[in-house]
Amino acid sequence: MKVVINNENTNNKTLIYQEGFWTGKRTISYDGTPLTKVKRNIFEYKTEKTTENFEIKGNQLVGVTINMLGKDVGVSRKLTWYEIVLSILVFIPCILFGAVGGAVGGALGFTNIMVIRSLDKTWVKIVVSVEFIAISLLLSYVLAVLVFKALTLVGL
């Protein structure tokens, strides 16, 4: 996820926030200067005149805000209640297929959260989530059948 912000909260300077989709590695640059990581969620911005700390609050699931220069800058919004419910609905039916289904459902549920967060219309979010439910059920079924076939061939 890469977000570029340039508004009055950033003093009309460009703030670039990047976070890895699966790894969660964060990199930030402000006004063309890459920030150095001080602690887990604190980055340092040094210029010739001043030194400022930028504190990151949140993550991809609950939304990200950066406290910088005495202001809170919203990078990504919080999930709404129905987006969380839609993503849980992707995961729950897959549990019927055991650990394999749970892993598939968890991965596709997380992917569903990332996809529907970027969509604007509620009905499109519902359609995309129903498609993820169908894909996760089909994939869980196919993988569970393959595991059972492999176990019967081995003789367990």
Side-chain angles (χ1 to χ4, degrees):
M1 166 176 77
K2 180 179 180 179
V3 179
V4 179
I5 302 170
N6 188 347
N7 58 23
E8 56 275 347
N9 286 340
T10 62
N11 294 337
N12 294 321
K13 297 180 182 176
T14 304
L15 173 72
I16 301 173
Y17 175 85
Q18 292 180 336
E19 186 171 353
F21 184 72
W22 294 105
T23 61
K25 181 182 177 188
R26 298 172 172 166
T27 57
I28 303 173
S29 67
Y30 179 68
D31 196 24
T33 306
L35 277 64
T36 57
K37 189 173 187 176
V38 176
K39 292 182 182 175
R40 184 174 153 246
N41 290 333
I42 298 176
F43 289 79
E44 187 176 62
Y45 173 67
K46 283 187 180 181
T47 61
E48 299 166 355
K49 300 175 185 176
T50 63
T51 300
E52 294 285 337
N53 285 335
F54 288 32
E55 182 180 1
I56 301 172
K57 297 176 184 174
N59 58 30
Q60 292 180 5
L61 296 177
V62 297
V64 178
T65 58
I66 299 177
N67 186 335
M68 57 179 273
L69 308 172
K71 301 174 187 173
D72 282 335
V73 178
V75 176
S76 66
R77 66 174 178 80
K78 294 181 180 180
L79 292 172
T80 59
W81 66 271
Y82 62 86
E83 290 173 336
I84 295 170
V85 169
L86 289 172
S87 294
I88 289 173
L89 288 175
V90 171
F91 172 71
I92 288 177
C94 296
I95 296 174
L96 298 172
F97 298 101
V100 172
V104 169
L108 288 176
F110 180 74
T111 305
N112 185 47
I113 286 175
M114 294 300 127
V115 170
I116 66 174
R117 172 182 271 157
S118 63
L119 301 174
D120 292 331
K121 297 182 179 172
T122 305
W123 67 271
V124 175
K125 293 178 183 188
I126 293 171
V127 169
V128 168
S129 294
V130 168
E131 290 174 357
F132 269 105
I133 290 170
I135 291 169
S136 65
L137 280 172
L138 181 65
L139 191 58
S140 296
Y141 174 76
V142 168
L143 289 176
V145 167
L146 289 175
V147 167
F148 284 129
K149 292 261 186 191
L151 290 176
T152 53
L153 288 176
V154 173
L156 294 175

